[in-house]
Each structure stands twice: as C-alpha cells, then as structure tokens.
Amino acid sequence: MSYRQELEKYRDLDEDKILSALTEEELRTLENELEELDPDNDLLPVGLRQRDQTKKTPTGPFKRDELLDHLEKQAKDMKDREDLVPFTGEKRGKVWVPKEKPIDPVLERVTLEPELEEALANASDAELCDIAAILGMHTLMSNQQYYEALGSTTIVNKEGLNSVIKPTQYKPVPDEEPNSTDVEETLEGVKNNDPKLEEVNLNNIRNIPIPTLKAYAEALKNNSYVKKLSIVGTRSNDPVAYALAEMLKANGVLKSLNVESNFISGSGILALIEALQHNTSLIELKIDNQSQPLGNKVEMEIANMLEKNSSLLKFGYHFTQQGPRLRASNAMMNNNDLARIRRSDGPWHNFSALQLDD
C-alpha cells in the first residue's frame, strides 16, 4: 500500500472534535509545534526566529545604554593575562650595519680638472639632466626630456632627474563649443534662396523637430546656392531621409550631404542611395554611424547602386563585409578617374576616353 493510500483514511476525520477533546496543556504543546519559525532567515527579527522557551518572568524593560556601561565596566575591571615572557626593553642580537659598496677601480682612477669638479659639484639637478642628455645617457630621463635637451641651447628641464617617473603632461583640450546656427533664420534663408548662404551646418543640434528638418529638405528643392548640407547628430530618422531623397531628385546644386550619427534605418539609407540615379551634382555623401547596423543585404544594395553611379566621388560608410567594401571602393576609384579625365585637356583626354571605351 502506498503512502498516499494510507493517508486516505484521515480524509473524513473531524478536526474540531479532536481539538475539543485535548487538554489545555496539550493545546499549548500543539501550538508550539505548529508555530512557523525559521532560525536561518536573517530577514526575521531575532524574537521570531525561534519560539520563546524562557520560563522566568522579565525583570524589567531592556535598557541598552545601561547594558553597554555594565559591559564596559566589567571589561575594565577584568585583569589582563600576564605575558609568558615579560617585556624588559633589552635589545638582543647584533646591530645592523649597512655594507659598503665596492668602488669601481676604473672610476676611481678617473680624475677631472678642478674646474670641472667644482662645476659638477655645484650643478643643479636640471643641469645634470641636460648634461646626461648631451652625453647620450637617455636611460636617466624620459624621452621628452632627452629630445628637448638635445634640441635646445638653454636648460629646458626645470625638474631634474626626479621627474623621470612622472607621465608627460598633456595640454587640456577644451570642449567643442555648441553649434551657434539659428535654425529658423537659416531655414528662412534657404527658402528665400539667399545667395550668401552656401553651407548649412546643423550638426549636434538635437532639439530640431522632425517637421523642421523636412522643411529644410523641401526648401532645398528649389534652392540654387546651398552646396553643402550637414545634419550630423540631429536625431534624424527615416521620414527625414525620405524627404532628403526627394530633394536630391530635384536639386542640381548640392555638392555634399552628411547624415552621420542619426537614427536612419536601412530603408531610409537605400532611399538616399536610389535618389543618386536622378542626381548628377552630389559628389560627397556620408551615412556612417547610424543607431542600428544596416545589414548585409542593405550593404549589397548600396554597392550595386554605387557601381551604377558615375558622379559620386566620396562615400562615407564603413562596410562590415569585405565584398561590398571592395566593390564600393572600386566604384569610387573609377568615378575619381573619370573626374580626373574630364579635367584633363589635349590628347591625353582623348587617349583615356578610348581606353575606357575598350
């Protein structure tokens, strides 16, 4: 018979009838047994980790300060244990005497002129450091001290040989100043086709609304003077990329476009690359360091479209795969060669054109 079957006989027992038949002492014993206690639980107070087994009545409330005073007094009244060997202060053993360093006989025979001896004896650490550099003893100083001493006719080391272990003191580089471009004023200049406005720099201005960035793209469709647009770190996303792609199809003046360090996904990047088929003025495009990787498929599509483009000369993106990277590099190299041929005059231009046709 299994253990579960043995327990079936207790299913129909009346607990109230059994408890009513117990005496008061038996009920107290049962209560102590059924009390849920956990002596290993550090989260419970000490009084709840085990049941109270004290039979004596409390003598009074707990007084922590009086208990600490009593323990301190008891510790002071207790005599220290006597040492097995009493301390007398007597010194034992031999007194340590440092060994004398042997003198090199070669150095002992070296004698200098009295003037040099006096000059070296009165020389400062900085002067000794420069002398060591002139003599080629570069191990006694840092590289910076060594080359500065050789390249100057005056004493440049002000700290002496003690500064060898110190690191080179680098000049602090100040933080880059925030972009001072007025977004609204610049947008009005783009809309009004201002001839003095040839570069729009909105880098690292993170509070530009997305509709404002799309308004820039819309205004650049009919602008005839802006040649460079940079929106690095402006939190631009795919809608901005789509608006810029439509702008590239209509704009014939823009030379450089930089959309690095933004939140443009692969679809937005492909829209920009596809727009290059309808644009022959753009010669520089930078799309690197987006919030998420573009992926192998997008990189292959980018390489295919770059091979079909003949006007783009600079493309800023770090490919993760070697195949698309090599194809894009060759495409940019071919475009630069074609641009160089167009700038050439005379028979060299005709010869290169024939070679390309073959």
Side-chain angles (χ1 to χ4, degrees), residues 1 55 82 85 110-111 118 141 155 236:
M1 181 180 294
K55 303 300 182 182
E82 296 181 358
V85 179
V110 175
T111 57
E118 183 180 359
M141 64 202 71
I155 297 178
S236 301

Side-chain angles (χ1 to χ4, degrees), residues 86-188:
F87 176 74
T88 59
E90 179 185 358
K91 294 183 179 180
R92 299 182 180 182
K94 297 180 180 180
V95 180
W96 180 80
V97 178
K99 296 182 180 179
E100 296 182 358
K101 296 182 179 179
I103 301 177
D104 191 351
V106 178
L107 297 178
E108 190 176 6
R109 291 196 302 267
V110 175
T111 57
L112 298 176
E113 297 180 2
E115 297 178 356
L116 294 179
E117 288 281 358
E118 183 180 359
L120 291 176
N122 298 329
S124 62
D125 290 344
E127 293 172 342
L128 290 176
C129 186
D130 278 14
I131 294 174
I134 296 173
L135 297 178
M137 304 171 66
H138 55 83
T139 57
L140 297 178
M141 64 202 71
S142 63
N143 291 336
Q144 181 180 2
Q145 292 173 334
Y146 178 70
Y147 290 110
E148 285 182 353
L150 292 181
S152 177
T153 57
T154 60
I155 297 178
V156 295
N157 179 28
K158 303 301 182 182
E159 299 179 359
L161 298 176
N162 294 331
S163 61
V164 175
I165 60 174
K166 295 182 179 180
T168 304
Q169 298 294 331
Y170 293 99
K171 297 181 180 180
V173 180
D175 295 335
E176 184 178 356
E177 296 182 359
N179 196 336
S180 59
T181 303
D182 191 335
V183 178
E184 298 297 335
E185 182 180 351
T186 306
L187 179 58
E188 290 298 326

